[in-house]
């Protein structure tokens, strides 16, 4: 867990990743995707409701709400990854938050900006994992900015465009 999330108070009242992961793992194979989407949607809404409740109680703590919102999305991405790829691909892949996602400060309903980073060109297995993650996030009706890049592609892009 990165430093910005350490300051999020009572994190499990926003989202309890372990309980959510256990509930997802216990789903029967039949209609698994539909049930997973409902569990994830409920977790997202519960987290949003808790963050809104906290902000209404203490309106001067907007930065805390921004950190809590980023924490909620971080935990959902983690649990979704573990759900779609319970056995990690043979090739490693990092999921990198960009912009407010990466800084750990997201306004409510802001875009979730993710980069999937692979050491070499993505394998078919990695592409399937990325697609499955993105589809679940889209099913949650989250606005997504995303890319899938190899380390070499990222270095070439950085050399050609400083922004």
């Amino acid at each position: 867990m990165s430093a910005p999330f350490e300051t999020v108070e009572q994190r499990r009242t926003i989202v309890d990743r372990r309980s959510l992961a256990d509930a997802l793992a216990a789903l029967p194979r039949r209609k698994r995707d539909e049930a997973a989407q409902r569990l994830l949607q409920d977790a997202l809404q519960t987290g949003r409701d808790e963050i809104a409740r906290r902000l209404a109680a203490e309106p001067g703590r907007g930065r805390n709400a921004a950190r809590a919102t980023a924490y909620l999305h971080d935990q959902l991405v983690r649990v979704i990854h573990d759900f779609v790829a319970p056995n990690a691909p043979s090739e490693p892949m990092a999921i990198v938050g960009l912009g407010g996602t990466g800084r750990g400060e997201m306004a409510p309903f802001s875009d979730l900006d993710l980069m999937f980073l692979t050491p070499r060109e993505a394998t078919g297995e990695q592409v399937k994992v990325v697609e499955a993650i993105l589809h679940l996030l889209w099913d949650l009706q989250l606005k997504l900015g995303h890319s899938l890049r190899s380390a070499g592609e990222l270095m070439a892009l950085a050399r050609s465009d400083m922004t």
Side-chain angles (χ1 to χ4, degrees):
M1 186 177 335
S2 63
F5 300 145
E6 292 173 5
T7 62
V8 176
E9 298 167 358
Q10 299 175 358
R11 292 186 291 267
R12 286 198 180 138
T13 60
I14 296 169
V15 62
D16 185 342
R17 185 173 53 87
R18 287 185 208 141
S19 294
L20 181 56
D22 290 346
L24 288 167
L27 291 174
R29 290 277 174 216
R30 191 168 166 259
K31 296 190 178 184
R32 185 172 189 233
D33 291 342
E34 293 171 29
Q37 198 271 332
R38 280 192 304 276
L39 282 172
L40 292 164
Q41 187 65 52
D42 288 348
L44 176 61
Q45 191 58 53
T46 298
R48 284 177 171 167
D49 290 347
E50 175 63 18
I51 293 165
R53 184 196 64 73
R54 292 178 186 192
L55 188 57
E58 298 182 76
R61 299 190 72 192
R63 290 195 76 157
N64 288 351
R67 280 192 294 274
T69 300
Y71 172 77
L72 171 62
H73 289 86
D74 176 82
Q75 297 302 292
L76 288 174
V77 169
R78 290 179 67 188
V79 79
I80 288 170
H81 171 271
D82 294 347
F83 175 69
V84 302
N87 305 315
S90 54
E91 281 289 321
M93 177 174 62
I95 302 175
V96 182
L98 304 174
T101 304
R103 284 190 308 277
E105 295 183 329
M106 293 178 66
F109 302 99
S110 66
D111 292 7
L112 180 63
D113 295 314
L114 301 173
M115 176 178 52
F116 298 87
L117 182 61
T118 59
R120 289 171 277 294
E121 185 175 335
T123 65
E125 186 179 358
Q126 288 169 320
V127 170
K128 285 180 185 177
V129 168
V130 169
E131 287 174 348
I133 291 169
L134 292 174
H135 283 286
L136 279 170
L137 293 170
W138 283 321
D139 288 346
L140 294 175
Q141 305 206 351
L142 295 173
K143 293 180 273 181
L144 291 174
H146 61 89
S147 60
L148 171 59
R149 304 212 191 282
S150 69
E153 290 170 328
L154 187 60
M155 293 304 292
L157 183 61
R159 282 197 258 331
S160 70
D161 183 0
M162 284 300 283
T163 59

